[in-house]
Amino acid sequence: LSMTVSSLIQQHRALCSQLGHVKLKLLYKASIHGFTGAAFHQQCDFQGPTVSVGYNATGHIFGGYTSKPFNQSGQYVPDDRAFLFTFKGEALLKYQVINSNQAVKMIANSGPYFGESLVLVNGSQAVVYSNPGNHYNFPPAEMHGNNLQLTDCEVYQVEGEFSLEKPWRSIVWESEKRNELMNSIKTYKPINSSVPQARILLVGPVGAGKSSFFNSINSVFRGHVTSQAIAGCAGTSLTTQFRTYTVKAGREGKPLPIILCDTMGLEESTGAGLDVDDIGNILKGHIPDCYQFNPSAALHPEAHGYRSSPGLKDRIHCVVFIIDACKVSIMPTKLEEKLAAVHRRANFIGVPQLVLLTKVDEACPVVAEDLTNVYKSRYIREMAQEASTRLGVPLSCVVPVKNYCEELELDQKCDILLFSAVIQMLRFADNYFDDINDRSSSKKDIDVV
């Protein structure tokens, strides 16, 4: 479906040279799909970087570029690479974003919405909203000749933008590698002999894929897609208890040396979802399996089942934040604050942390096409960097994965990403045990002195 911009080849070339070595693939044409926000979003949401072009009866061709994918969150999305443009003959005139924190607004009832400066298909009408100044500055007469009636609007996916020349991480996708990773997990033993299994705590917002991650790991070791933990896409947490899940190597196999601990989702509002104070109790091993969470109050030491003297085997040995790659850039402030509070608590106790970036195939079209593109995707790398910044962990601690959700059969590429994530968790758990051993040997040295 690659097309020229309304057959105006020179303008098309000027846009492509401005963006680098790229191709433009038509996603939305208002005269065909309809001059509505709904039609625009249906065609263009989560399609990566785009160029939006408006046409009017006075012959002006104008629009904007954003490197961020469209969605319908109602929020501003930052983008320091965004710009508006118009054509003067065959020459491209460019107006760079001024307020990059509010470069694009994700409005359901409109077409492409660049800050508060330029909106195409505004309010689901064949009109332009134009207000240069705070977000982008441009002379209206030069931009669109003050003619705000659209004859058409087109949105193009910028194809070359997706892929990096070199992968940002190297990974082997062969079946031998899959088997090698699987065996490494099966034969893993915690370096501390008092601990039979590494306990991994999964934390994240509602719907990010915590329970789905457990189901996916379980599926891979069972040899078929299965669903033991309740997973879904409800607005409030489907997990209401503290659950610990042991994965078996096959249906009748031995338990693996890893326990995945599933919590309630961290919801945006106060008094809903997992209480951050409960996190401290979970990390220290005080909370028993099947403990029923109370979002408005943390567990008290007098409560039934409270483990007052937990051993090292009861504690959490690695915290894993599960974050939806589609929602990293639109993470609500309240949620970010809750995640930061968990991060601080884990740091204070000395528990290592990893970030799993889920739904990478939904976030980036080239990854949806082929999962092996995950480390070639410019967008996934940007989202990994953003998750690293927002959660305060190094980029090396951010691992992209794809959970099994709709599939009926296992996929080797999917398995390799999932296994790689589990291997990282086990390495981090070993770091924790090393740290505990170092501290106890230091204490012994002090006692001897």
Side-chain angles (χ1 to χ4, degrees):
L1 201 60
S2 289
M3 292 176 65
T4 58
V5 178
S6 215
S7 78
L8 298 168
I9 293 164
Q10 294 309 319
Q11 279 95 335
H12 180 269
R13 282 183 184 153
L15 266 174
C16 287
S17 66
Q18 179 62 52
L19 295 167
H21 301 291
V22 300
K23 289 180 186 174
L24 299 183
K25 174 183 169 184
L26 186 66
L27 296 174
Y28 165 76
K29 188 170 176 66
S31 57
I32 293 171
H33 298 111
F35 285 90
T36 67
F40 156 71
H41 283 290
Q42 188 175 0
Q43 299 298 320
C44 303
D45 279 2
F46 302 115
Q47 294 296 322
T50 51
V51 171
S52 302
V53 188
Y55 303 87
N56 64 20
T58 45
H60 289 83
I61 299 171
F62 55 96
Y65 164 82
T66 175
S67 67
K68 299 298 170 78
F70 290 115
N71 61 65
Q72 299 175 60
S73 67
Q75 297 179 351
Y76 284 109
V77 170
D79 185 4
D80 55 9
R81 293 164 67 194
F83 63 85
L84 300 182
F85 64 86
T86 190
F87 284 98
K88 194 170 186 177
E90 291 175 6
L92 180 102
L93 306 179
K94 183 178 166 186
Y95 315 97
Q96 199 64 38
V97 63
I98 299 167
N99 181 352
S100 63
N101 285 331
Q102 299 183 340
V104 186
K105 199 170 185 182
M106 303 303 180
I107 299 295
N109 191 38
S110 285
Y113 202 114
F114 293 91
E116 295 295 340
S117 295
L118 187 77
V119 185
L120 305 176
V121 191
N122 186 38
S124 292
Q125 303 289 321
V127 296
V128 177
Y129 172 81
S130 174
N131 183 25
N134 292 336
H135 296 89
Y136 303 80
N137 208 2
F138 55 84
E142 187 175 73
M143 175 68 95
H144 43 58
N146 290 310
N147 179 346
L148 302 181
Q149 295 294 316
L150 285 172
T151 55
D152 212 342
C153 173
E154 295 170 340
V155 178
Y156 292 83
Q157 187 181 65
V158 181
E159 287 194 305
E161 273 283 274
F162 291 123
S163 299
L164 299 161
E165 283 182 33
K166 286 184 179 174
W168 55 282
R169 241 176 234 165
S170 57
I171 190 164
V172 177
W173 297 101
E174 307 302 324
S175 59
E176 292 79 17
K177 185 65 178 176
R178 178 194 179 278
N179 298 335
E180 179 193 317
L181 291 169
M182 191 177 202
N183 287 330
S184 297
I185 296 166
K186 282 181 182 177
T187 56
Y188 166 81
K189 279 185 182 159
I191 55 176
N192 193 306
S193 57
S194 69
V195 179
Q197 292 167 297
R199 287 169 71 88
I200 312 295
L201 179 66
L202 308 179
V203 178
V206 175
K210 294 179 298 301
S211 300
S212 297
F213 176 71
F214 165 74
N215 287 334
S216 297
I217 297 300
N218 203 24
S219 297
V220 178
F221 281 98
R222 285 283 180 93
H224 60 88
V225 178
T226 182
S227 182
Q228 185 177 335
I230 302 168
C233 53
T236 54
S237 187
L238 291 167
T239 307
T240 58
Q241 293 180 326
F242 176 65
R243 291 302 316 270
T244 59
Y245 294 105
T246 299
V247 182
K248 286 184 179 175
R251 190 173 177 83
E252 304 298 327
K254 289 194 308 184
L256 293 173
I258 183 170
I259 293 176
L260 296 173
C261 306
D262 197 4
T263 59
M264 257 189 113
L266 284 174
E267 295 183 30
E268 292 157 38
S269 50
T270 311
L274 182 65
D275 189 298
V276 175
D277 288 333
D278 271 333
I279 288 286
N281 285 321
I282 294 171
L283 295 176
K284 292 173 185 172
H286 292 303
I287 289 189
D289 190 20
C290 296
Y291 163 69
Q292 186 72 39
F293 289 111
N294 178 357
S296 53
L299 177 73
H300 290 288
E302 299 79 40
H304 176 69
Y306 184 87
R307 203 183 277 129
S308 55
S309 304
L312 182 58
K313 67 179 176 59
D314 302 313
R315 293 186 218 165
I316 295 299
H317 310 130
C318 173
V319 170
V320 176
F321 293 102
I322 310 274
I323 304 294
D324 182 341
C326 301
K327 295 180 179 174
V328 177
S329 56
I330 54 169
M331 190 185 288
T333 310
K334 277 271 191 326
L335 176 58
E336 198 170 338
E337 286 168 2
K338 279 192 174 186
L339 289 168
V342 175
H343 173 58
R344 284 194 302 273
R345 191 70 58 93
N347 270 356
F348 182 74
I349 297 171
V351 182
Q353 296 146 70
L354 190 69
V355 177
L356 282 200
L357 210 55
T358 61
K359 308 186 185 180
V360 288
D361 56 322
E362 290 178 36
C364 178
V366 291
V367 179
E369 228 169 74
D370 184 349
L371 203 52
T372 62
N373 289 328
V374 69
Y375 286 119
K376 291 180 190 168
S377 165
R378 189 187 300 273
Y379 181 67
I380 296 300
R381 189 185 65 178
E382 283 175 7
M383 289 304 98
Q385 284 170 328
E386 192 166 342
S388 147
T389 305
R390 283 176 181 261
L391 290 164
V393 300
L395 182 59
S396 58
C397 297
V398 182
V399 181
V401 294
K402 179 194 174 324
N403 289 333
Y404 285 110
C405 297
E406 303 167 343
E407 300 82 359
L408 295 175
E409 298 298 326
L410 296 176
D411 173 77
Q412 179 177 296
K413 300 168 196 170
C414 203
D415 292 355
I416 287 171
L417 284 183
L418 290 164
F419 285 149
S420 300
V422 173
I423 294 284
Q424 283 300 97
M425 292 172 201
L426 298 177
R427 284 176 183 161
F428 277 39
D430 276 346
N431 293 346
Y432 177 74
F433 299 133
D434 279 335
D435 197 35
I436 294 283
N437 291 345
D438 290 347
R439 273 186 272 169
S440 61
S441 57
S442 305
K443 188 173 181 297
K444 279 174 192 167
D445 292 345
I446 293 164
D447 290 344
V448 168
V449 173

